[in-house]
Amino acid sequence: MIHQSAAIDPSARIHPNVEIGFNAFIGPNVEIGDGCKIFPNAVIFQNTKLGKNNQLHPFAVLGGDPQDIGYKGEPTFLEIGDNNIFREGSTINRATTKADGVTRVGNNNYLMAYAHIAHDCVVGNNNILVNYSCLGGHVILENSITISAYCAVHQFTRIGSYSFLVHATIAEKDVLPYVIAGSRAKSTATVHGLNIRGLARNGFSKDAIKNLREAYKVMFMRNLALEQALSELAAMQSYCPEVGAWLEFIKASKRGFIR
Amino acid sequence: MIDKTAIVHPSAKIAEGVEIGPYSIIGADVEIGEGTWVGPHVVIKGPTKIGKENKIYQFASIGDDPQDKKYKGERTFLEIGDRNSIRECVTIHRGTIQDQLITKIGNDNLFMAYVHVAHDCVIGNGCVFANSVAIAGHVKIADFVIMSGMCGVHQFCQVGAYSFISNASIILKDVPPYVMITGGASPTVCGLNVEGLKRHGFSPASLQSLRKAYKIIYRQGLRAVEAVEVLRSMETDCIEVKALADFLEQSERGIIR
């Protein structure tokens, strides 16, 4: 059902089973999939593709211009998967032309009120962004990550799967998968431990968690030089595939990672 | 007066003298009491009960679904008292069935722009929440609390009456009544809220007893249980000291020190 007061651009492609509320705004070149609910006063600005069963709560804005002073009105895009929830006042910007021109968000993500995803971000699946948290431009968020309230992620930073950012953390470097990072005691973020609860909830076996604890000690607690830690970890790879994920992550890391 | 562009659900009960601005939406099962002013572009979703003489400014979203992954569309509630001021972009959510079904807000509170009140919170009377304060689920906040800008409260915390929380503090444990909190992301107690207590007309005698009580809790290296015993044995009829001891006794998360 589409409310008569909603302003919808004729170029928008909207699945017949989409609910659009009072005074919502759907701009040009927008595609909305089956079962989406666009609540009153929500905005999908332009050039945005929305998958199935997404919810847009009041005052959420998807596909707005990138917040980048170099942006000169080029056509850029936003692509969103399925089953995401965007709460009140949350914002996701389109990309700039500095990368491939598309901001991407996967499936089952929950953006709580006022959360922000900037231009050129790549967000995976099952992530939670708690109130007021924001991702800078070009950030890569992998899967099943919790970003707590008031967190900020620096541009070009990568956050690994199953990690947990403590409230008000400023992540200026990459965060390894499976860890808890925070800046509670110091102004720069440090790693606080393994995200044991998150791993258990996501079905990691007891053995896997035990092995990860061992790997964690090698990486973070024995004051080893990085090269030495990496060579010890490489030996663990055969029985602990999660360590393999760490090694690949570190190889791809351009900014260095929080240790 | 209800603006002609506003949409009011037929089942909403709007009292006399309620003003609703352009493009605002009042959903099903919403009750709004006498003299409440609702600005333009406000979204109110039910079941929500709003008392008298409140002011709700533009872009506020009141009574929307709780931000909880367990929420599956159950019928839960929000109740707001009288004379509250709810500024731009404030979000206040309904309760969940896992807790008490209802989010409750008392009277005479000021919620400045971008404040968030989550599911199942209970907020007292006369509180001030400055810009971007976020209150997580199941939090209990007593009367006359002042929370400065950018403060956050962790879920299930309690904040005692007449406490003052300085800017950007993140509250992870309970805040006893009458104290001041400072220290950003790792907050500590920094004394009694003397100015606040004076403004609310506490007697010099009460202040003196509270100073003694404060020293017992924070300056003698006692555990909370031991501090409660000493507070109970204090020879004073000061009800504030009793309130402090009661708070310490029922605190489940421990108190900020």
Side-chain angles (χ1 to χ4, degrees):
Chain A
M1 202 198 90
I2 297 178
H3 197 278
Q4 58 185 18
S5 66
I8 298 173
D9 191 274
S11 67
R13 292 181 300 280
I14 297 171
H15 191 279
N17 183 28
V18 168
E19 226 176 86
I20 298 183
F22 174 68
N23 213 27
F25 176 88
I26 314 290
N29 195 18
V30 170
E31 199 179 322
I32 304 178
D34 189 5
C36 284
K37 286 182 180 168
I38 317 292
F39 292 115
N41 283 327
V43 173
I44 305 180
F45 202 68
Q46 56 170 263
N47 296 357
T48 296
K49 195 174 158 188
L50 214 59
K52 293 175 191 166
N53 301 324
N54 295 291
Q55 284 182 26
L56 236 78
H57 285 254
F59 315 117
V61 182
L62 300 188
D65 288 353
Q67 290 180 151
D68 185 306
I69 46 169
Y71 180 71
K72 296 282 182 287
E74 300 92 344
T76 55
F77 300 87
L78 167 64
E79 276 179 27
I80 291 172
D82 306 333
N83 305 320
N84 298 287
I85 301 178
F86 305 106
R87 295 304 302 249
E88 298 90 315
S90 56
T91 45
I92 306 182
N93 294 350
R94 298 195 323 279
T96 61
T97 50
K98 290 171 188 167
D100 67 350
V102 186
T103 303
R104 290 189 173 84
V105 175
N107 308 321
N108 302 318
N109 296 292
Y110 200 138
L111 264 71
M112 295 195 182
Y114 319 107
H116 173 69
I117 295 178
H119 57 87
D120 301 290
C121 281
V122 179
V123 174
N125 307 320
N126 305 316
N127 299 301
I128 301 177
L129 273 79
V130 184
N131 299 42
Y132 308 100
S133 57
C134 48
L135 308 184
H138 308 271
V139 163
I140 299 173
L141 204 63
E142 295 184 341
N143 304 311
S144 304
I145 298 162
T146 301
I147 309 274
S148 305
Y150 297 112
C151 281
V153 181
H154 192 277
Q155 56 177 356
F156 296 102
T157 303
R158 182 174 173 199
I159 312 286
S161 293
Y162 306 102
S163 59
F164 183 104
L165 259 58
V166 177
H167 59 87
T169 298
I170 312 291
E172 292 174 314
K173 289 180 167 186
D174 295 352
V175 175
L176 279 190
Y178 321 118
V179 303
I180 297 176
S183 42
R184 268 162 71 186
K186 298 176 186 170
S187 55
T188 36
T190 52
V191 165
H192 291 187
L194 276 178
N195 183 15
I196 302 283
R197 179 70 76 90
L199 293 171
R201 278 186 188 171
N202 281 294
F204 281 72
S205 68
K206 279 187 177 163
D207 280 347
I209 292 175
K210 202 177 130 197
N211 291 334
L212 260 176
R213 276 188 209 266
E214 212 177 296
Y216 181 86
K217 282 179 193 158
V218 174
M219 178 60 94
F220 295 103
M221 292 172 76
R222 281 171 43 197
N223 286 330
L224 296 178
L226 182 58
E227 267 176 38
Q228 202 184 342
L230 289 180
S231 69
E232 283 197 30
L233 288 172
M236 290 178 67
Q237 226 177 325
S238 56
Y239 61 93
C240 181
E242 287 77 16
V243 166
W246 269 7
L247 295 177
E248 266 173 42
F249 187 96
I250 291 164
K251 210 182 271 178
S253 172
K254 287 175 190 147
R255 295 182 61 82
F257 62 97
I258 295 173
R259 206 179 163 200
Chain B
M1 207 198 84
I2 299 175
D3 190 276
K4 63 179 189 303
T5 59
I7 293 195
V8 179
H9 194 274
S11 71
K13 285 186 205 141
I14 313 290
E16 294 273 312
V18 168
E19 219 176 293
I20 298 176
Y23 301 104
S24 283
I25 302 158
I26 314 295
D29 272 332
V30 173
E31 204 179 317
I32 303 183
E34 264 167 64
T36 288
W37 175 81
V38 178
H41 289 285
V42 171
V43 179
I44 305 180
K45 216 172 142 183
T48 292
K49 202 173 155 185
I50 297 175
K52 296 173 187 167
E53 293 166 38
N54 294 287
K55 282 183 129 185
I56 304 175
Y57 290 76
Q58 47 271 29
F59 313 122
S61 169
I62 311 292
D64 208 335
D65 299 346
Q67 280 183 162
D68 187 314
K69 285 208 132 181
K70 297 184 288 302
Y71 182 71
K72 294 281 178 284
E74 299 91 352
R75 189 177 156 82
T76 59
F77 306 86
L78 167 65
E79 213 177 284
I80 296 177
D82 305 332
R83 298 176 301 279
N84 295 287
S85 189
I86 298 173
R87 298 303 305 247
E88 294 89 333
C89 298
V90 166
T91 42
I92 304 179
H93 292 159
R94 304 196 316 280
T96 60
I97 53 161
Q98 284 79 16
D99 191 9
Q100 53 181 17
L101 280 170
I102 185 167
T103 304
K104 270 187 180 169
I105 288 173
N107 309 321
D108 302 294
N109 298 293
L110 166 57
F111 299 89
M112 295 193 198
Y114 306 106
V115 168
H116 174 73
V117 180
H119 57 88
D120 303 295
C121 282
V122 179
I123 290 181
N125 308 307
C127 298
V128 177
F129 301 94
N131 293 47
S132 297
V133 166
I135 302 165
H138 318 279
V139 166
K140 291 190 169 56
I141 293 187
D143 300 342
F144 303 108
V145 171
I146 296 183
M147 295 190 70
S148 313
M150 301 293 285
C151 283
V153 186
H154 189 275
Q155 56 179 355
F156 295 104
C157 282
Q158 296 183 47
V159 179
Y162 301 99
S163 54
F164 178 95
I165 299 170
S166 80
N167 64 79
S169 300
I170 305 290
I171 304 301
L172 298 169
K173 290 176 144 193
D174 295 347
V175 176
Y178 318 115
V179 302
M180 285 198 292
I181 301 286
T182 186
S186 42
T188 53
V189 150
C190 63
L192 278 177
N193 180 16
V194 177
E195 185 57 39
L197 294 172
K198 278 183 189 164
R199 283 184 194 178
H200 281 106
F202 281 70
S203 68
S206 298
L207 278 175
Q208 212 173 11
S209 311
L210 273 176
R211 282 201 176 97
K212 274 187 203 157
Y214 182 87
K215 282 181 185 156
I216 291 166
I217 300 170
Y218 288 110
R219 292 283 177 270
Q220 296 182 2
L222 299 175
R223 292 186 300 133
V225 207
E226 297 162 345
V228 169
E229 268 175 38
V230 183
L231 288 178
R232 295 261 189 247
S233 67
M234 248 171 94
E235 282 180 12
T236 171
D237 48 6
C238 176
I239 50 167
E240 288 81 17
V241 172
K242 191 176 171 299
L244 259 176
D246 291 346
F247 187 93
L248 257 60
E249 217 162 35
Q250 54 80 49
S251 165
E252 280 171 13
R253 292 181 65 85
I255 57 164
I256 290 186
R257 287 186 174 267

